[in-house]
Amino acid sequence: MKPITLGIVCPCYNEEAVLALSAERLEKIFDQLQQDKKINNNSFVLLVNDGSKDKTWDIISELHAKHTWIRGVNLAHNVGHQNAIMAGMMTAKDWADAVITTDADLQDDVEKCVPQMVDDYMAGYEIVYGVKVSRTADPLMKRLTAQAFYKLQTSMGVNSVFNHADFRLMSNRALEILSRYQERNLYLRGIIPLIGLNSTTVEDEIGERAAGQSKYTLSKMLNLAIDGITSFSVKPIWGIIYMGLAMIIVSIAILVYVLRALIIGTAVSGWASLMLSIWFVGGVLLVAIGGIGIYIGKIYTESKHRPLYNIKEIL
Ligand code: UDP
Ligand code: MG
């Protein structure tokens, strides 16, 4: 197979401390892949500046002036990790046969995984997911919360790859299909498995951040987690309905209790009807809210205009 044009997209938010180090690491990987005749010299790294407040864009401009294979995109303001990756992929898709996304701090094991991803692409896979096999470099809290979140997601029926973050290769065709998903609350880990096509995984051993600090604040992480569930699942709405039904059942038990109190004469006047109404009306209200929620959920799904199908081959 002919050497391919590879694009590597890195979102960068206040990454002045780490960019030069990352560029060095990527240069070695590119040199090796070119020597092995796997990628051609149109291959590039695309650094997406996500509205950084520090010198990130200046550094990207300097790197580009020094190395023609480093390109940059400067976003007008901070739009967050997911949107920044999307901006990079959509810019790179017309320039490359395959695009790999990885964080600017290169915590992913790019030395091992990038060549494997390229091999998998050459073997016919259109999406290759980097799957974290060890998260020892992540702080304990992050590891635990992330894993609990993956489990919660699965139980909510969201189809995502376990322990995969946004380190992945996508073919030009997979990116073309991704561009048809027009949604605003972007959660790529949920959308990309919806694309279909041949996919595989590589094992990724996460390393420490070489310089600078994590840009993923707790609130950014929570927002991502909420999108990861609410953009794909209406199960939480069913939870409301089940809660309402449970309350209606409890109201039957209360009915028995109230009747008993009335019969033995311990009930104060007015107490019985009040007691029963609270549980029964509460239950009915919850079921009704859940019912409306299901319709709103459908409007939400419709408004995403997701493609109904993606074509793999036509004979
Ligand atoms: N990032 C971004 N926009 C943001 C926050 C983060 O583009 O608003 C980038 C950041 O520069 C990095 C990647 O997203 O390349 C992941 O962030 P980080 O490494 O800080 O997160 P962690 O690895 O700690 O989860
Ligand atoms: Mg990181």
Short mmCIF file of all heavy atoms in Angstrom, two decimals, residues 5 10 15 19 35 60 67 80 87 136 140 144 158 179 190 203 237 262 272 291 295 303:
data_model
loop_
_atom_site.label_atom_id
_atom_site.label_comp_id
_atom_site.label_asym_id
_atom_site.label_seq_id
_atom_site.Cartn_x
_atom_site.Cartn_y
_atom_site.Cartn_z
N THR A 5 -1.46 9.89 3.77
CA THR A 5 -1.33 11.21 4.38
C THR A 5 -2.03 11.16 5.73
O THR A 5 -3.23 10.94 5.80
CB THR A 5 -2.00 12.30 3.50
OG1 THR A 5 -1.49 12.20 2.18
CG2 THR A 5 -1.75 13.68 4.07
N CYS A 10 -4.49 18.05 17.62
CA CYS A 10 -4.38 18.23 19.08
C CYS A 10 -5.09 19.52 19.49
O CYS A 10 -4.72 20.60 19.02
CB CYS A 10 -2.93 18.35 19.52
SG CYS A 10 -1.88 17.00 19.02
N GLU A 15 -1.69 25.80 26.63
CA GLU A 15 -0.70 24.71 26.63
C GLU A 15 0.71 25.21 26.35
O GLU A 15 1.54 24.46 25.84
CB GLU A 15 -1.09 23.63 25.61
CG GLU A 15 -2.39 22.90 25.90
CD GLU A 15 -2.29 21.92 27.09
OE1 GLU A 15 -1.28 21.95 27.82
OE2 GLU A 15 -3.25 21.15 27.28
N LEU A 19 3.77 22.52 24.62
CA LEU A 19 3.72 22.37 23.16
C LEU A 19 5.06 21.99 22.51
O LEU A 19 5.10 21.12 21.63
CB LEU A 19 3.18 23.65 22.52
CG LEU A 19 1.65 23.73 22.50
CD1 LEU A 19 1.20 25.04 21.86
CD2 LEU A 19 1.06 22.55 21.75
N GLN A 35 10.20 6.93 7.43
CA GLN A 35 11.24 5.94 7.10
C GLN A 35 10.64 4.59 6.75
O GLN A 35 11.08 3.92 5.83
CB GLN A 35 12.15 5.74 8.31
CG GLN A 35 13.47 6.46 8.21
CD GLN A 35 14.27 6.23 9.49
OE1 GLN A 35 14.26 5.13 10.05
NE2 GLN A 35 14.96 7.26 9.93
N ILE A 60 2.38 28.17 18.58
CA ILE A 60 1.95 27.41 17.40
C ILE A 60 2.46 28.10 16.13
O ILE A 60 2.98 27.45 15.21
CB ILE A 60 0.40 27.27 17.38
CG1 ILE A 60 -0.07 26.41 18.55
CG2 ILE A 60 -0.07 26.69 16.05
CD1 ILE A 60 -1.57 26.29 18.70
N HIS A 67 8.62 24.44 11.21
CA HIS A 67 8.34 23.12 10.64
C HIS A 67 7.09 23.22 9.75
O HIS A 67 6.01 23.49 10.26
CB HIS A 67 8.02 22.09 11.73
CG HIS A 67 9.03 22.04 12.83
ND1 HIS A 67 10.24 21.41 12.69
CD2 HIS A 67 9.00 22.52 14.09
CE1 HIS A 67 10.91 21.51 13.83
NE2 HIS A 67 10.18 22.18 14.70
N GLY A 80 -14.23 24.74 24.29
CA GLY A 80 -14.17 23.46 25.01
C GLY A 80 -13.55 22.35 24.18
O GLY A 80 -13.57 22.37 22.95
N ALA A 87 -13.54 20.88 15.51
CA ALA A 87 -13.02 21.91 14.60
C ALA A 87 -11.77 21.39 13.89
O ALA A 87 -11.62 21.53 12.68
CB ALA A 87 -12.70 23.18 15.38
N THR A 136 -2.77 4.37 35.83
CA THR A 136 -2.03 4.64 37.06
C THR A 136 -1.55 6.09 37.10
O THR A 136 -1.35 6.64 38.17
CB THR A 136 -0.84 3.69 37.21
OG1 THR A 136 -0.22 3.58 35.94
CG2 THR A 136 -1.26 2.34 37.72
N LEU A 140 -6.22 9.16 41.69
CA LEU A 140 -7.16 8.11 42.12
C LEU A 140 -8.61 8.53 41.93
O LEU A 140 -9.43 7.80 41.38
CB LEU A 140 -6.90 7.75 43.58
CG LEU A 140 -7.78 6.61 44.12
CD1 LEU A 140 -7.42 5.30 43.45
CD2 LEU A 140 -7.67 6.49 45.63
N LEU A 144 -11.40 6.64 39.61
CA LEU A 144 -12.62 6.03 40.16
C LEU A 144 -13.87 6.66 39.54
O LEU A 144 -14.78 5.96 39.11
CB LEU A 144 -12.65 6.19 41.68
CG LEU A 144 -11.58 5.37 42.41
CD1 LEU A 144 -11.68 5.60 43.91
CD2 LEU A 144 -11.74 3.88 42.10
N VAL A 158 -26.15 3.79 26.81
CA VAL A 158 -25.34 4.56 25.86
C VAL A 158 -24.25 3.63 25.31
O VAL A 158 -23.54 2.99 26.07
CB VAL A 158 -24.68 5.78 26.53
CG1 VAL A 158 -23.95 6.62 25.51
CG2 VAL A 158 -25.71 6.61 27.27
N SER A 179 -19.43 14.35 9.87
CA SER A 179 -19.84 15.73 9.59
C SER A 179 -21.34 15.84 9.37
O SER A 179 -21.91 16.92 9.40
CB SER A 179 -19.08 16.29 8.38
OG SER A 179 -19.54 15.66 7.20
N GLY A 190 -19.81 9.16 22.24
CA GLY A 190 -21.11 8.53 22.03
C GLY A 190 -21.50 8.51 20.57
O GLY A 190 -22.13 7.56 20.10
N GLU A 203 -4.26 -0.76 22.56
CA GLU A 203 -4.11 -0.58 24.00
C GLU A 203 -3.22 0.61 24.30
O GLU A 203 -2.11 0.71 23.78
CB GLU A 203 -3.54 -1.85 24.63
CG GLU A 203 -4.50 -3.01 24.52
CD GLU A 203 -4.06 -4.21 25.33
OE1 GLU A 203 -2.88 -4.24 25.75
OE2 GLU A 203 -4.90 -5.12 25.53
N ILE A 237 -35.69 9.75 32.14
CA ILE A 237 -37.11 10.14 32.14
C ILE A 237 -37.97 8.95 32.59
O ILE A 237 -38.93 9.11 33.35
CB ILE A 237 -37.53 10.63 30.74
CG1 ILE A 237 -36.78 11.92 30.42
CG2 ILE A 237 -39.05 10.85 30.69
CD1 ILE A 237 -37.01 12.44 29.03
N LEU A 262 -59.10 5.07 60.66
CA LEU A 262 -60.49 5.54 60.70
C LEU A 262 -61.37 4.58 61.49
O LEU A 262 -62.20 4.98 62.30
CB LEU A 262 -61.04 5.69 59.26
CG LEU A 262 -60.61 6.96 58.50
CD1 LEU A 262 -61.12 6.92 57.06
CD2 LEU A 262 -61.08 8.22 59.20
N ALA A 272 -57.15 11.89 57.11
CA ALA A 272 -57.16 10.75 56.19
C ALA A 272 -57.07 11.20 54.75
O ALA A 272 -56.22 10.73 53.98
CB ALA A 272 -58.43 9.94 56.42
N GLY A 291 -44.40 11.36 31.47
CA GLY A 291 -45.06 11.18 30.17
C GLY A 291 -44.74 12.34 29.24
O GLY A 291 -44.34 12.15 28.09
N TYR A 295 -42.22 12.77 25.48
CA TYR A 295 -42.44 13.53 24.24
C TYR A 295 -41.33 14.55 24.02
O TYR A 295 -40.83 14.71 22.91
CB TYR A 295 -43.80 14.22 24.28
CG TYR A 295 -44.91 13.23 24.04
CD1 TYR A 295 -45.59 12.64 25.09
CD2 TYR A 295 -45.23 12.84 22.74
CE1 TYR A 295 -46.57 11.69 24.88
CE2 TYR A 295 -46.22 11.90 22.51
CZ TYR A 295 -46.89 11.32 23.58
OH TYR A 295 -47.83 10.38 23.35
N SER A 303 -34.64 16.81 16.87
CA SER A 303 -33.96 18.07 16.58
C SER A 303 -32.47 17.88 16.31
O SER A 303 -31.82 18.76 15.80
CB SER A 303 -34.16 19.05 17.73
OG SER A 303 -33.40 18.62 18.84
#
